[in-house]
Amino acid sequence: MAHKGVISHILILSLLFVMVSCHKKQNAPTIIIPVDINENLQKEVSIYDICSEIHVIGLGTTQPISNDVYSGSTWMDCDGEYFYILDENSMTLHKYDMDGQLVSFANKVGRGPGEYTMACQIHYNMDLGLIEVLNPMGKIMRYTRDSLDFHSELGYIGKGPLSSYNYLQLGNNYIIYSFREDDKIWLLNSELEEISSFAYQPPIYLKDYLTARSQLFTQDGQPYVYRTYDGAIEHIDVTKGRVTPYIEWDFGGFQAKLKDIPTDNSARDYGSFMMDYSIHKLSPFIDIKARFGKIYAMILFNGGKIYTFIYDLEKRSSLIFEKTKEGMSFFPEVFVDEFMYKYVDSANLPSFVSRELLDSESKKEYDKIIANKSSAILKYKM
């Protein structure tokens, strides 16, 4: 991601009914959602407008993790019983229980069976009960849930994209995103061992404007992709093999437009442009997640600061903020049941949770993490 350190097309009928008052483009299925940013910026947002509880789970320190608060959901997953974390630098695998105690650790870096030389995503495959690690060269490595032993390999080298950096797994189907190909989205059927392109080809230069951790997310079991420059959301139709418009945002004068993005900048120049452009425009979108009819996004705004945007599709209400009134940032990450979990390193812990709001047990964990310069999982009850 450029400037890393600063930095769910199907609606249920009732939801469609709620949305009919939104203006639509003529002869287009896209839902245009107007959002008054000036009005939102005048709102005082509390963390309790987002969640009802927040707890701190300190992670064991026997095998430290080098990830930071910006690493994002590609580097962590949870099955409701365990956390699985892929170390961004060492590429080692860590398994913790829900109390933060290390259960299993594995170093799979190498060139032998079940090993990899590169890794960029960890995922719990609930259909198979296996842990998966994406090798960007075209392999999905599978490991046992209990001891992280090698189980099997799903490969597509030479069949599709030359490189792939994140994916969604929906049963036997894998939706794979490639930053470097002209065709960005591919469908891998693991049962038939077939891979095909969706012919999804946004302007090539956008990959240099911002390389997001993942542009894929799900809502109610349906897969979506978002555009980084303006956050527009498109539905990935697996049955028809195409990507179709879903939501576009209307932020008024704060709206980013494709024509504003230079087409031939270097990565360094894009970084500078991004900082300047985001002074008055909501761009780029760094991440989008969806859960329970709400869309959660991270966006650069106000000169490169990370703002959180939350839109309730049913209530047609929105929030946008850099910090809550309690002085806390909120970045969407891993949603499981009624909870959201976020990995936080000790250096950024005070920016994401106010110690005064914690119960006695979480205060102890907070103090321990700060003292040991270790890391934590923040547990939000949504």
Side-chain angles (χ1 to χ4, degrees):
M1 180 191 300
H3 284 261
K4 177 182 176 186
V6 296
I7 347 218
S8 155
H9 97 49
I10 296 177
L11 287 172
I12 59 175
L13 291 177
S14 61
L15 186 54
L16 280 172
F17 177 78
V18 173
M19 298 300 296
V20 292
S21 64
C22 291
H23 174 65
K24 293 188 178 183
K25 283 182 177 178
Q26 191 173 12
N27 301 321
T30 312
I31 299 171
I32 310 296
I33 300 182
V35 180
D36 190 326
I37 296 301
N38 281 315
E39 179 182 324
N40 272 275
L41 291 173
Q42 295 173 17
K43 295 179 184 177
E44 188 176 57
V45 180
S46 169
I47 190 66
Y48 297 115
D49 295 324
I50 306 167
C51 66
S52 60
E53 298 176 11
I54 181 169
H55 302 276
V56 176
I57 304 172
L59 297 180
T61 58
T62 55
Q63 296 290 343
I65 299 173
S66 61
N67 298 0
D68 65 28
V69 73
Y70 301 103
S71 295
S73 59
T74 55
W75 302 95
M76 182 180 81
D77 208 349
C78 177
D79 61 9
E81 294 183 41
Y82 299 99
F83 299 110
Y84 307 95
I85 298 177
L86 172 63
D87 190 291
E88 190 170 1
N89 293 313
S90 68
M91 296 183 289
T92 51
L93 308 181
H94 305 245
K95 174 184 175 182
Y96 298 88
D97 63 23
M98 301 305 285
D99 294 322
Q101 300 302 308
L102 185 68
V103 177
S104 298
F105 169 83
N107 186 346
K108 302 295 183 180
V109 179
R111 299 184 181 276
E115 296 179 335
Y116 46 79
T117 56
M118 292 184 288
C120 55
Q121 181 176 349
I122 191 168
H123 165 68
Y124 173 64
N125 187 324
M126 63 183 301
D127 297 290
L128 299 178
L130 297 172
I131 307 305
E132 298 182 336
V133 174
L134 176 63
N135 178 330
M137 301 310 294
K139 292 182 181 181
I140 296 174
M141 317 299 291
R142 291 169 170 168
Y143 303 94
T144 59
R145 178 176 179 263
D146 53 355
S147 56
L148 303 178
D149 291 329
F150 178 59
H151 178 276
S152 56
E153 176 186 304
L154 176 61
Y156 50 94
I157 296 177
K159 299 179 181 179
L162 296 176
S163 60
S164 46
Y165 289 87
N166 52 83
Y167 69 93
L168 293 176
Q169 176 260 324
L170 303 169
N172 292 324
N173 290 318
Y174 287 72
I175 299 172
I176 298 168
Y177 195 95
S178 174
F179 293 128
R180 301 188 183 278
E181 310 292 323
D182 290 345
D183 289 357
K184 301 298 183 187
I185 302 179
W186 298 72
L187 177 65
L188 172 65
N189 186 303
S190 62
E191 188 175 40
L192 300 176
E193 297 186 352
E194 295 178 348
I195 188 167
S196 58
S197 167
F198 282 84
Y200 179 76
Q201 300 184 353
I204 295 174
Y205 59 89
L206 287 179
K207 70 180 177 62
D208 296 319
Y209 178 56
L210 178 76
T211 300
R213 282 299 184 195
S214 175
Q215 286 178 236
L216 306 175
F217 68 98
T218 60
Q219 163 78 320
D220 299 329
Q222 290 293 317
Y224 298 87
V225 59
Y226 70 90
R227 300 193 308 222
T228 55
Y229 72 90
D230 67 352
I233 300 171
E234 297 166 290
H235 175 239
I236 303 172
D237 192 327
V238 174
T239 59
K240 296 182 179 180
R242 64 185 186 183
V243 178
T244 57
Y246 173 36
I247 286 176
E248 289 188 6
W249 309 104
D250 179 2
F251 295 128
F254 299 94
Q255 182 73 38
K257 299 178 180 180
L258 183 60
K259 65 180 180 63
D260 295 339
I261 313 298
T263 62
D264 56 356
N265 275 9
S266 66
R268 181 187 296 272
D269 288 339
Y270 272 122
S272 298
F273 170 81
M274 196 184 301
M275 294 302 103
D276 292 337
Y277 193 56
S278 66
I279 293 175
H280 302 296
K281 305 294 183 182
L282 291 160
S283 182
F285 279 64
I286 300 170
D287 200 4
I288 290 184
K289 295 286 183 288
R291 188 70 169 174
F292 299 136
K294 293 181 180 179
I295 294 174
Y296 301 83
M298 293 165 58
I299 321 172
L300 287 197
F301 183 53
N302 195 18
K305 298 177 181 179
I306 298 180
Y307 275 65
T308 300
F309 171 63
I310 303 175
Y311 190 85
D312 189 315
L313 289 163
E314 184 175 0
K315 294 180 180 178
R316 292 180 291 168
S317 61
S318 56
L319 299 171
I320 186 165
F321 59 95
E322 182 193 5
K323 297 276 189 178
T324 68
K325 70 177 184 180
E326 297 87 1
M328 299 160 60
S329 296
F330 177 88
F331 295 172
E333 201 151 308
V334 176
F335 290 84
V336 181
D337 299 325
E338 72 269 35
F339 297 101
M340 192 201 82
Y341 301 97
K342 166 140 192 66
Y343 177 89
V344 183
D345 53 284
S346 61
N348 288 283
L349 183 60
S351 296
F352 284 81
V353 61
S354 174
R355 187 182 182 279
E356 290 71 26
L357 301 181
L358 299 174
D359 60 25
S360 58
E361 190 60 35
S362 285
K363 284 180 179 177
K364 292 179 183 178
E365 292 296 299
Y366 181 103
D367 294 339
K368 189 187 303 182
I369 294 159
I370 297 296
N372 295 336
K373 296 182 179 180
S374 53
S375 54
I377 302 292
L378 298 183
K379 178 182 180 180
Y380 302 83
K381 188 171 183 180
M382 306 301 287

